[in-house]
Amino acid sequence: MLCLSSLSTLLLLLLFYPPPLSAQGVQLRLAGVGRRGANEGRVEVFYNGAWGTVCDDEVDLNLANVVCRQLGFQRGFTWAHSAKFGQGQGLIWLDNVRCRGSEASIADCQSNGWGINDCTHAEDLGVICSPERRPGSPPVSLDETPSPSRQQPSQSRQRNPPQSVSPPAGPPAPAGISSSPSRGHEIALHRNPAASRRSNINPQENGHEIQILRRNRGNSRATSQVNTALPQGHQLPPRLANGASYRQRQETARTSPQAVRRDAGGQVDRQSQPERRSDRNQQLSGNHVEPEPVYPDMGVETDTQYTQGSAHLEEARLRAVLSGNNGGLVTEGVLEVKNAGRWRHVCSNGWDLSSSRVVCGMLGFPDAEAFDQNAYRKLWDSKLADPSSRLRTQISKKAYWVEKVQCKGVEVSLAQCQAQLSLPRSDVPCSGGMHAVVRCVPGSQFARYGRAPAPPAVPPVVRLKAGPRIGEGRVEVLREGKWGTVCDHLWDINAATVVCRELGFGTAKEALTKAQLGQGTGPIHMNSVQCTGREKSITECHYRQVPLYTCKHSQDVAVRCNVPNTGMKTTVRLAGGREPSEGRVEVLMEVGGVRRWGSVCSENWGINEAMVVCRQLGLGFASRAHQETWYWPGSSDAADVVLSGTHCIGTEMSIQQCRRNTNVYCPRGGDGRAAGVTCVETAPDLVLDAQLVQETAYLEDRPLHLLTCANEENCLSSSAARMQWPYGHRRLLRFSSRIMNMGRADFRPRASRESWTWHQCHRHYHSIEVFTHYDLLTLNGSKVAEGHKASFCLEDTYCPDGIHKRYACYNMGQQGISVGCWDTYRHDIDCQWIDITDIRPGEYIFQVEVNPSLDMAESDFQNNVMRCRCKYDGARVYMFGCHAGDAYSAEAEDLFDHQNQISNNFL
């Protein structure tokens, strides 16, 4: 009895207090996809008999150095987050690893503990080490993983790592019990690898499985000859290992029509048993639970084995049954969901409006609403009463249904909701129910599908800027009449979803940080935004004010929203291009009551029209609007011009929504003169520094003999031609301007270097004939004076630290403005002025517009204009209230035009 009691105590100690392995027993390797060499890859740790990954939370270069040195490299170059080298499988061993940098092994660093984490494999850590090896470390190639030892951690019985690994030795055995490896049993604890908080496994199945492995009574050769198809030793019956899960499976086996059949002699019919997903020919690892039988879902047409318990719903769609689609926009219909690659119907039992709201969010709609259930119930009953209907046979199959879905209404997708393919102790699937039906409420911009969206009844307080596609962009919020950005601290998918729904889209696909869609300008209004998902506006979420200089525009947030499938992509296409992102534009239009394909007249075809086409196709921004397409052959069924006189503002969702001629009129003709586009994923974005203009403005009376070259370039007003040259002077309003590229691509002149214009007087090239317009306007908008500036030197005058200057005008160098750099035009150079010689004293509006003719593509043209209030008393000039053109609300901008009620909005 004493021996049995001691053995029980030992068993409990091994079960609940497994001591950790030493640092020497922990090994590393680099694995994954996209590796360029053996010195980089996903970090995998061998611990407790199983390989696992490391989460990227709180990782720094110290950890990378420890990992690289343990692998035999000199040091670590950097670390990679978010599964850069692909997602691993199995366990996540370590999370929140904090190293000082001097540790000999990753096991010596601080962490949450082995196997304790709140991560998924989408957060697997990778490292990039220096290619140099440490002295004494053998060379490695990409095919092999460097490690200090080529062998797995030492095991007492020389078993391979995939087999069960016993915990380290516990206390000494009691007297009378031999510790020889040839006697007794070995106990292995197998922890469920899916027991993390993100697991979809039934909580009742999370536990431990105990195997008593018979010790090898022979030599190592006998060990290698043991049949690995069976457990090595005795296995506790499932009813003892996990009683609740066992009883549930037994009940399922009795009620399921696919239960294992037994013959009269009590033998199991082996052919009717479903095949386990896990390979029983593989031996158990040291941290492993033998999974329950999982049967493949063969879709709605087959009655095959099914999976009880939770389900992962990947996609959703609506099939219109009673209501027609709204011009191609399906807002109501029977719900179908995809699980394991197969489409299923959802049972209406327990389905509510909260679950419908989640589905609508996935489909790009902001909300869901109630519908007439009686009409669908009548249709359902009529199909069941029809003997020839296939529905009668399909609904009796459990593979047809997802029987239970429960959502709170704040989830981003159905994958976050609780879902069960079938219910236990239920012989008839979806008893008394029918298929779930969903009705979605489209956003205001989609409610009038086919026409230009109506202006919102209430001015919006949030907007998206510089997004390459519909439903994407940098988030900007309106506060006290000023538009500002949001800092990315604590920014998550819930807050992004609130923004998307507020703008008339569905839930958020991505919550982007670190100005991934470009930097904004002006104030930063919000930080640490936290939303529950039920708010109607981001302004209702909890957030903190942003103290001055605590957050930068490099931390601006952005979103990518789910948008409804309107079918707009199917009404336009590009033909003849070398790549899918370029070609001749062909549209589907109704001509004489018949829908047909045709080309677009290139008369007045410009960058705004090209932007609409690229956005409609989901191809990003337009980099060029082509008025000749001889080199792009069109389609044979689109030879005629079917669209002419196209004029787009640039905010339309389709080219068909733009203004156009009622009757096609194209004097240029089609074919080689048809319109074309080139689309790109990123674009530059030029913004003028309003503060510099305000601070540097002054008046100068300049003699005519110093203005000869400026007069040749038409930089003076027309009255200068009537003066007695070279006698007299002109009064000039001079200022400096600094133009920043805040976009995601370099700004380049459209003309190639060979076609630049040489100006002999100033002895420089002009790459852009008119780069900026300078205007002086009355308060009612009438122009009283103007100037312009040609781009004679488009270059990187200043770049912040870490950005290399790429463009310089010296010696006819390449011209352009790099991302994040500035091109400065000083006040003391020619044409950097407005000639106000003929202007009377008074109050005016001073306006500067960059890229006025839209010759070069940008992600946002609305911020190309800068405006200031200007007061001229005849001897001095005052500038105040300078701001970018889209920095204020429409009401505030109206006050700016007529009253002195607007403050500065500096960058």
Side-chain angles (χ1 to χ4, degrees):
M1 294 297 293
L2 179 61
C3 295
L4 292 177
S5 175
S6 300
L7 183 59
S8 301
T9 304
L10 175 61
L11 173 61
L12 291 175
L13 287 173
L14 293 176
L15 283 176
F16 299 107
Y17 300 99
L21 289 181
S22 62
Q24 290 78 14
V26 174
Q27 286 198 357
L28 300 180
R29 70 181 179 189
L30 298 182
V33 296
R35 301 171 60 199
R36 296 166 297 182
N39 60 314
E40 61 182 48
R42 181 178 62 249
V43 179
E44 295 190 353
V45 183
F46 187 81
Y47 174 74
N48 202 21
W51 286 101
T53 61
V54 179
C55 186
D56 61 10
D57 292 346
E58 298 189 20
V59 173
D60 56 17
L61 193 58
N62 288 336
L63 173 58
N65 283 326
V66 172
V67 169
C68 291
R69 285 200 303 267
Q70 186 175 354
L71 290 168
F73 296 102
Q74 289 279 9
R75 64 186 184 279
F77 277 161
T78 185
W79 54 275
H81 59 82
S82 304
K84 173 180 173 60
F85 296 102
Q87 299 186 21
Q89 296 180 350
L91 297 165
I92 300 177
W93 273 128
L94 295 172
D95 186 17
N96 294 323
V97 184
R98 295 172 293 278
C99 301
R100 297 186 304 272
S102 58
E103 295 86 350
S105 169
I106 192 174
D108 298 330
C109 300
Q110 296 182 1
S111 68
N112 291 352
W114 292 100
I116 302 175
N117 67 85
D118 60 353
C119 304
T120 66
H121 281 295
E123 303 170 76
D124 283 347
L125 171 70
V127 297
I128 300 177
C129 306
S130 64
E132 299 85 11
R133 301 285 291 164
R134 300 181 68 184
S137 299
V140 292
S141 62
L142 187 59
D143 297 332
E144 56 182 336
T145 302
S147 63
S149 174
R150 295 298 178 190
Q151 300 177 355
Q152 300 292 358
S154 175
Q155 304 296 330
S156 59
R157 273 150 295 281
Q158 301 297 323
R159 288 193 308 272
N160 292 328
Q163 285 186 312
S164 299
V165 178
S166 63
I177 297 179
S178 172
S179 61
S180 170
S182 62
R183 293 181 57 84
H185 297 85
E186 180 185 350
I187 302 173
L189 169 65
H190 304 297
R191 189 181 301 277
N192 191 336
S196 67
R197 68 179 180 90
R198 291 190 173 95
S199 173
N200 291 326
I201 303 298
N202 191 323
Q204 292 179 341
E205 296 181 5
N206 286 340
H208 300 91
E209 180 178 342
I210 303 174
Q211 285 188 1
I212 304 178
L213 306 180
R214 188 180 305 275
R215 291 187 182 274
N216 179 17
R217 301 185 184 274
N219 54 22
S220 60
R221 178 178 301 177
T223 302
S224 63
Q225 294 175 353
V226 174
N227 182 5
T228 59
L230 297 175
Q232 302 301 307
H234 304 292
Q235 184 172 352
L236 289 184
R239 64 180 179 275
L240 298 180
N242 199 328
S245 176
Y246 174 78
R247 287 192 296 272
Q248 179 179 337
R249 294 193 294 271
Q250 288 298 101
E251 181 66 25
T252 303
R254 287 194 296 268
T255 58
S256 170
Q258 300 297 323
V260 177
R261 298 189 298 272
R262 296 179 179 270
D263 57 19
Q267 298 296 325
V268 178
D269 183 359
R270 299 295 178 182
Q271 293 181 353
S272 65
Q273 282 191 344
E275 186 174 309
R276 289 180 184 266
R277 178 185 296 177
S278 63
D279 189 357
R280 293 290 295 175
N281 292 327
Q282 293 182 355
Q283 296 178 346
L284 300 176
S285 67
N287 197 351
H288 176 78
V289 161
E290 192 63 25
E292 294 306 315
V294 178
Y295 309 105
D297 173 20
M298 298 304 293
V300 298
E301 299 297 333
T302 1
D303 185 15
T304 183
Q305 302 288 0
Y306 57 91
T307 303
Q308 286 194 359
S310 58
H312 181 74
L313 306 183
E314 306 160 2
E315 299 178 41
R317 67 186 182 189
L318 298 182
R319 181 166 50 88
V321 176
L322 291 180
S323 61
N325 51 3
N326 181 17
L329 195 63
V330 179
T331 59
E332 177 182 336
V334 174
L335 174 63
E336 297 177 354
V337 297
K338 180 180 283 189
N339 174 72
R342 302 289 183 175
W343 290 98
R344 294 172 177 250
H345 289 81
V346 178
C347 181
S348 61
N349 294 339
W351 185 265
D352 57 13
L353 205 58
S354 295
S355 301
S356 294
R357 186 171 187 261
V358 176
V359 170
C360 291
M362 295 175 63
L363 298 175
F365 301 105
D367 210 346
E369 61 182 358
F371 60 94
D372 183 10
Q373 298 187 20
N374 295 328
Y376 285 95
R377 172 59 73 174
K378 290 179 181 178
L379 179 62
W380 176 268
D381 294 339
S382 65
K383 287 188 176 182
L384 292 183
D386 184 2
S388 61
S389 174
R390 298 176 56 200
L391 185 64
R392 300 179 62 182
T393 58
Q394 289 177 343
I395 63 173
S396 63
K397 305 172 183 178
K398 292 204 172 186
Y400 182 84
W401 293 105
V402 175
E403 288 206 56
K404 187 176 182 181
V405 178
Q406 288 182 326
C407 302
K408 299 177 182 178
V410 297
E411 295 86 351
V412 175
S413 70
L414 287 177
Q416 298 178 351
C417 301
Q418 295 181 2
Q420 287 181 274
L421 298 183
S422 61
L423 302 178
R425 300 187 179 91
S426 175
D427 294 330
V428 180
C430 195
S431 177
M434 64 175 189
H435 44 46
V437 179
V438 175
R439 174 185 284 178
C440 300
V441 180
S444 59
Q445 65 270 53
F446 302 104
R448 292 159 45 96
Y449 178 72
R451 295 173 290 173
V458 180
V461 296
V462 63
R463 67 184 182 185
L464 300 183
K465 299 286 285 184
R469 297 172 184 82
I470 298 174
E472 299 181 4
R474 181 179 61 252
V475 178
E476 296 191 354
V477 181
L478 183 66
R479 287 188 57 194
E480 299 178 355
K482 299 180 182 180
W483 288 101
T485 60
V486 180
C487 196
D488 62 5
H489 182 240
L490 299 182
W491 184 254
D492 60 8
I493 199 72
N494 287 337
T497 293
V498 171
V499 170
C500 291
R501 290 189 189 274
E502 183 178 1
L503 291 170
F505 304 108
T507 51
K509 293 188 290 187
E510 291 182 81
L512 304 175
T513 59
K514 298 180 180 179
Q516 292 186 47
L517 293 185
Q519 298 185 26
T521 59
I524 301 176
H525 284 324
M526 306 173 76
N527 190 19
S528 302
V529 180
Q530 293 179 286
C531 305
T532 64
R534 301 186 185 276
E535 296 85 355
K536 296 294 184 182
S537 171
I538 189 176
T539 57
E540 299 175 8
C541 300
H542 175 75
Y543 66 91
R544 295 181 180 178
Q545 302 290 339
V546 183
L548 197 62
Y549 307 122
T550 60
C551 194
K552 300 179 180 179
H553 281 296
S554 58
Q555 299 169 263
D556 287 344
V557 304
V559 296
R560 288 194 174 102
C561 307
N562 285 313
V563 297
N565 181 13
T566 60
M568 293 186 298
K569 288 184 180 181
T570 61
T571 61
V572 64
R573 66 190 184 192
L574 303 182
R578 297 164 297 179
E579 299 177 357
S581 58
E582 66 178 14
R584 182 180 299 181
V585 179
E586 297 177 349
V587 294
L588 186 62
M589 302 290 294
E590 186 170 323
V591 180
V594 179
R595 288 166 62 87
R596 53 175 292 194
W597 287 96
S599 58
V600 180
C601 183
S602 61
E603 193 82 23
N604 298 322
W605 182 259
I607 197 68
N608 275 340
E609 291 74 27
M611 285 282 187
V612 172
V613 169
C614 291
R615 189 183 303 114
Q616 183 177 353
L617 290 168
L619 297 176
F621 305 103
S623 63
R624 291 289 297 272
H626 302 272
Q627 293 188 349
E628 293 189 0
T629 54
W630 299 99
Y631 36 83
W632 288 335
S635 304
S636 58
D637 61 340
D640 299 332
V641 176
V642 296
L643 184 62
S644 65
T646 309
H647 179 76
C648 301
I649 301 174
T651 58
E652 297 87 352
M653 291 187 292
S654 70
I655 192 68
Q656 288 85 355
Q657 292 178 354
C658 300
R659 289 189 300 166
R660 62 180 186 271
N661 293 339
T662 305
N663 299 315
V664 177
Y665 173 72
C666 187
R668 287 176 57 89
D671 197 19
R673 291 189 174 89
V677 297
T678 300
C679 305
V680 292
E681 182 67 23
T682 59
D685 184 19
L686 299 185
V687 181
L688 196 70
D689 187 349
Q691 180 177 358
L692 184 65
V693 173
Q694 179 171 306
E695 293 175 349
T696 57
Y698 67 98
L699 294 180
E700 180 190 11
D701 291 335
R702 192 163 182 81
L704 286 180
H705 70 273
L706 299 178
L707 296 173
T708 305
C709 289
N711 188 49
E712 290 183 9
E713 295 186 11
N714 298 318
C715 294
L716 302 175
S717 61
S718 57
S719 63
R722 299 189 296 271
M723 297 189 68
Q724 298 296 323
W725 288 78
Y727 306 106
H729 67 273
R730 305 294 294 180
R731 175 156 291 183
L732 308 176
L733 171 58
R734 310 196 71 144
F735 54 90
S736 298
S737 64
R738 181 166 58 192
I739 300 163
M740 292 171 286
N741 181 5
M742 309 294 287
R744 300 166 58 208
D746 293 350
F747 182 85
R748 299 294 309 279
R750 192 174 74 172
S752 61
R753 182 160 48 181
E754 293 75 16
S755 58
W756 293 350
T757 304
W758 173 258
H759 282 250
Q760 180 63 32
C761 188
H762 281 132
R763 301 191 65 79
H764 57 240
Y765 285 95
H766 286 186
S767 59
I768 303 174
E769 190 60 33
V770 178
F771 183 50
T772 52
H773 273 170
Y774 308 140
D775 298 318
L776 199 64
L777 312 174
T778 63
L779 296 185
N780 62 7
S782 300
K783 186 183 299 185
V784 294
E786 66 180 20
H788 71 272
K789 182 66 181 172
S791 170
F792 69 87
C793 186
L794 199 64
E795 66 178 359
D796 294 331
T797 306
Y798 171 78
C799 292
D801 293 339
I803 301 179
H804 178 67
K805 293 182 180 181
R806 300 180 56 191
Y807 303 105
C809 299
Y810 175 74
N811 198 21
M812 200 182 176
Q814 290 289 348
Q815 294 194 23
I817 307 177
S818 301
V819 175
C821 296
W822 304 344
D823 183 16
T824 302
Y825 292 86
R826 289 173 50 87
H827 59 86
D828 54 357
I829 63 176
D830 269 358
C831 299
Q832 190 61 34
W833 62 59
I834 293 181
D835 185 356
I836 63 170
T837 305
D838 306 322
I839 302 302
R840 296 179 179 178
E843 291 195 17
Y844 301 93
I845 293 177
F846 175 68
Q847 178 174 289
V848 179
E849 184 176 6
V850 182
N851 191 18
S853 56
L854 307 184
D855 285 334
M856 283 69 60
E858 297 183 51
S859 60
D860 185 7
F861 292 113
Q862 296 179 357
N863 57 9
N864 284 15
V865 179
M866 187 229 56
R867 309 179 77 206
C868 301
R869 289 295 297 266
C870 176
K871 187 174 182 179
Y872 174 48
D873 63 3
R876 291 168 297 182
V877 65
Y878 303 92
M879 292 279 194
F880 56 95
C882 296
H883 64 282
D886 66 339
Y888 292 91
S889 64
E891 293 80 3
E893 195 68 29
D894 184 66
L895 293 176
F896 171 82
D897 289 338
H898 303 289
Q899 304 177 27
N900 299 333
Q901 296 186 9
I902 195 167
S903 61
N904 295 333
N905 184 48
F906 294 152
L907 296 174

